[in-house]
Amino acid sequence: MGAQEQDGSCERLVSFDDVAVDFSQEEWQQLNSAQRRLYQDVMLEIYSHLLAVASLLTCGICQAYGQIFISPDSLTGVERYRTILTLENVPEDVLEYSWYRDMDNSTENMIFSYKPPNTRHPGPLYTGRENVTRAGSLVIRRSALNDTGYYTVEVDTGNGTQRATGWLEILKLESNPGISANASANASVLVEGMDSVVAKCLTNSSNIKWYVNSVPTSGNNRMTISLDGKTLVIHRISRYDHNLQCAIEDFPEILQRSEEIPLSVAYGPDYVSLWTQSDVFDGVLTAVIGSSVKLECTCFSRPEPKYHWIHNGSLLSVSEENMTLPSLSWEQMGSYRCIVENPETQLTFYREVTIQPPRPPPPAVHREFYISGSLVIFLIVLASLGSAYFCGILVYILIIFYSTRRNRA
């Protein structure tokens, strides 16, 4: 391949028509709504990529020749949001920045003029929403649809004047997404660990985010999101799931949120306990006749549970969590059971305690030392015989001792 052919191949431009896919009217009618949305999303993405490449090439060329340029040269803004036309490759010690509408830098088209450091002059097309930064960029607050068009900047460097032109298109935001679910605060109450929630984000956007308790979620072992992102399923709903919300982000850093769907989750009763003002040992409360006894039944439950009290197998008329016996009688002794019932979860638990009087102390036993008369006589005789026997042995020893001494003498 020759040098001329190589140059020709390198200089060949790529247009949108080279990468776009066109459908005939008949082919387009055969596509369903999901396929049409996919086609539109792909074409928009390709177009944005081409714009990005073109902007990079323009920036590279301008930087190579030391020219100012607006980055990007084709900018998309959003209605009611701030838009910035950024000026790049600006030389030092600029004397004045002047911004104009359209491609003509005539006086009647001037928007704003800024002479560093503090001199600012609004032009005929100034609407009160424009401003120029110290770096020469144009800021448009609360962008409007009629802000769409060409913008030209003129920079006076003292040694000459440079100009750059860019295109700005202001788009209108679509309405915020809607949201629906099979459960909400106005619908039937969900039961923790049993029910599931299926929520749908009502939008045509493909960039959908989900929020549970105002925290973004991408799915976990309890939550799954459909491939198109429009459906969120919460399996085994929890008491800590308070609200749902979806949002779309068709433009960077612009999040459009749906309304929040509050969730009403029933749970419990959990941690049922039966308390008294005295110590309870192994479910037994010791109380004296005439004393005041208060029984308190507590638990964690939503909605508020129903309480039932049973005394020695008989249902009492008390339906509150606390029961007080102001003056304990013998008839009120016995077993008390607190039954806690949640009508939504259909769970019932109970705790019980037995009230009994204190046990009387055992009677004191005074034991006296007593020996019978026969035993006394026996002991006396035994002592006398023992003494006589001991004396006999002692006399015998003395006789033997003295006899031995006499024989030796």
Side-chain angles (χ1 to χ4, degrees), residues 189-253:
V189 177
L190 301 165
V191 178
E192 182 182 42
M194 297 180 61
D195 293 333
S196 299
V197 174
V198 180
K200 295 184 178 295
C201 193
L202 309 178
T203 178
N204 292 326
S205 175
S206 59
N207 192 2
I208 302 174
K209 300 178 183 295
W210 282 98
Y211 294 82
V212 178
N213 300 333
S214 302
V215 177
T217 179
S218 57
N220 51 43
N221 58 344
R222 279 200 318 115
M223 303 179 188
T224 57
I225 300 176
S226 61
L227 294 178
D228 60 1
K230 295 185 178 181
T231 303
L232 170 68
V233 180
I234 302 180
H235 308 278
R236 304 183 308 278
I237 194 73
S238 167
R239 69 186 69 182
Y240 305 108
D241 300 326
H242 302 302
N243 57 69
L244 295 176
Q245 187 181 45
C246 71
I248 59 176
E249 190 176 10
D250 290 334
F251 299 95
E253 300 181 0

Side-chain angles (χ1 to χ4, degrees), residues 90-97 116 155-159:
V90 180
E92 297 180 357
D93 301 327
V94 173
L95 299 181
E96 184 177 7
Y97 300 95
V155 177
D156 184 2
T157 62
N159 297 325

Side-chain angles (χ1 to χ4, degrees), residues 287-303:
V288 298
I289 299 298
S291 63
S292 175
V293 176
K294 181 179 180 181
L295 302 178
E296 182 178 358
C297 198
T298 61
C299 69
F300 294 94
S301 177
R302 180 179 179 182

Side-chain angles (χ1 to χ4, degrees), residues 121-352:
H121 296 289
L125 297 185
Y126 177 69
T127 65
R129 297 179 292 111
E130 298 87 359
N131 193 13
V132 178
T133 67
R134 293 183 178 274
S137 300
L138 179 64
V139 179
I140 304 176
R141 295 178 290 108
R142 302 188 307 275
S143 301
L145 294 178
N146 57 8
D147 290 330
T148 298
Y150 284 102
Y151 287 79
T152 299
V153 60
E154 187 176 77
V155 177
D156 184 2
T157 62
N159 297 325
T161 301
Q162 295 188 27
R163 293 177 56 193
T165 300
W167 170 263
L168 172 63
E169 182 176 5
I170 303 298
L171 301 180
K172 184 178 180 63
L173 278 179
E174 297 294 333
S175 58
N176 290 344
I179 187 172
S180 65
N182 64 335
S184 65
N186 298 324
S188 59
V189 177
L190 301 165
V191 178
E192 182 182 42
M194 297 180 61
D195 293 333
S196 299
V197 174
V198 180
K200 295 184 178 295
C201 193
L202 309 178
T203 178
N204 292 326
S205 175
S206 59
N207 192 2
I208 302 174
K209 300 178 183 295
W210 282 98
Y211 294 82
V212 178
N213 300 333
S214 302
V215 177
T217 179
S218 57
N220 51 43
N221 58 344
R222 279 200 318 115
M223 303 179 188
T224 57
I225 300 176
S226 61
L227 294 178
D228 60 1
K230 295 185 178 181
T231 303
L232 170 68
V233 180
I234 302 180
H235 308 278
R236 304 183 308 278
I237 194 73
S238 167
R239 69 186 69 182
Y240 305 108
D241 300 326
H242 302 302
N243 57 69
L244 295 176
Q245 187 181 45
C246 71
I248 59 176
E249 190 176 10
D250 290 334
F251 299 95
E253 300 181 0
I254 298 179
L255 206 61
Q256 296 178 259
R257 296 177 180 264
S258 69
E259 294 182 352
E260 285 188 352
I261 291 185
L263 300 176
S264 180
V265 182
Y267 58 86
D270 296 337
Y271 308 106
V272 179
S273 301
L274 187 56
W275 302 89
T276 68
Q277 74 272 26
S278 303
D279 294 333
V280 178
F281 181 74
D282 289 339
V284 177
L285 170 63
T286 300
V288 298
I289 299 298
S291 63
S292 175
V293 176
K294 181 179 180 181
L295 302 178
E296 182 178 358
C297 198
T298 61
C299 69
F300 294 94
S301 177
R302 180 179 179 182
E304 288 295 323
K306 295 181 179 179
Y307 294 92
H308 308 283
W309 290 88
I310 294 178
H311 174 225
N312 293 335
S314 299
L315 182 64
L316 302 178
S317 60
V318 180
S319 60
E320 299 177 354
E321 58 183 310
N322 298 330
M323 185 178 67
T324 302
L325 305 175
S327 180
L328 187 65
S329 63
W330 280 107
E331 292 76 12
Q332 292 174 330
M333 293 289 183
S335 174
Y336 286 85
R337 175 177 293 183
C338 172
I339 301 176
V340 184
E341 175 189 4
N342 188 325
E344 295 292 343
T345 62
Q346 299 182 358
L347 295 176
T348 302
F349 294 94
Y350 71 89
R351 288 291 183 271
E352 60 183 7

